[in-house]
């Protein structure tokens, strides 16, 4: 989680709204407290989005989609509002009713139940995903080489194009340090990756 916060800090710097050292320290301490708090059920497999009312869910998903479209981190936006005691507009209910623990539990994989992953969330450097060996091997359900899923981290996302089409390529790094490029990550290879936990 601390590495994700560091990535969020860099995104804030890039977006010309850097956090102060004090704000960064507060967030890092909060993450440590959450991780140390044994009463917090971090292994809970329930989807935090299920706790929202239907109206709250619709408002929240629209907020996330808008932030992602503008290349902003929706989580960083909410945390910045909270740190600066600023009203979060129509998503203020997240802070008032659910709090930072709920926000911490919410991961990209939870959005898949409510829409396709690329419909709301876009891949960013530092995201954890899983990829299927079907990207580099011929696999089938009933063959000796069956589909397997491998955890990895996104290390770069680039837009590419050929004569008529534009597409997104994603560069990943596996836990053993091996790197791989997924071409057309939202287009023809969309079914060979999923959000990780």
């Amino acid at each position: 989680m601390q590495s994700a916060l560091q990535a969020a800090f860099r995104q804030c710097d890039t977006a010309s709204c850097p956090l102060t050292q004090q704000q960064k320290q507060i967030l890092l301490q909060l993450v440590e407290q959450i991780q140390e708090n044994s009463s917090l059920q971090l292994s809970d497999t329930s989807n935090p989005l299920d706790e929202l009312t239907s109206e709250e869910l619709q408002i929240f998903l629209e907020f996330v989609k808008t932030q992602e479209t503008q290349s902003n981190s929706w989580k960083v936006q909410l945390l910045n509002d909270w740190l600066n005691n600023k009203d979060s507009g129509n998503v203020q209910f997240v802070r008032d009713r659910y709090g930072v623990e709920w926000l911490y539990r919410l991961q990209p994989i939870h959005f898949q139940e409510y829409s396709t992953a690329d419909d709301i969330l876009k891949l960013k450097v530092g995201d954890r995903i899983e990829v299927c060996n079907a990207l580099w091997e011929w696999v089938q359900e009933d063959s000796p080489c069956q589909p397997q899923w491998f955890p990895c981290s996104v290390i770069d996302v680039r837009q590419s194009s050929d004569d008529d089409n534009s597409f997104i390529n994603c560069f990943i790094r596996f836990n053993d340090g091996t790197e791989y490029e997924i071409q057309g990550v939202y287009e023809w290879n969309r079914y060979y990756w999923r959000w990780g936990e």
Side-chain angles (χ1 to χ4, degrees), residues 63-75:
F63 168 78
V64 171
K65 189 173 185 175
T66 300
Q67 292 297 311
E68 292 286 319
T69 302
Q70 298 170 0
S71 297
N72 296 330
S73 170
W74 59 271
K75 250 186 196 182

Side-chain angles (χ1 to χ4, degrees), residues 11 60-77 108 111 117-125 127 186 195:
Q11 285 182 347
F60 183 72
L61 291 177
E62 189 59 39
F63 168 78
V64 171
K65 189 173 185 175
T66 300
Q67 292 297 311
E68 292 286 319
T69 302
Q70 298 170 0
S71 297
N72 296 330
S73 170
W74 59 271
K75 250 186 196 182
V76 169
Q77 180 63 47
F111 288 90
D118 55 314
D119 194 25
I120 292 183
L121 299 179
K122 298 293 183 192
L123 289 169
K124 294 181 193 66
V125 172
D127 284 342
Y186 297 124
W195 292 99

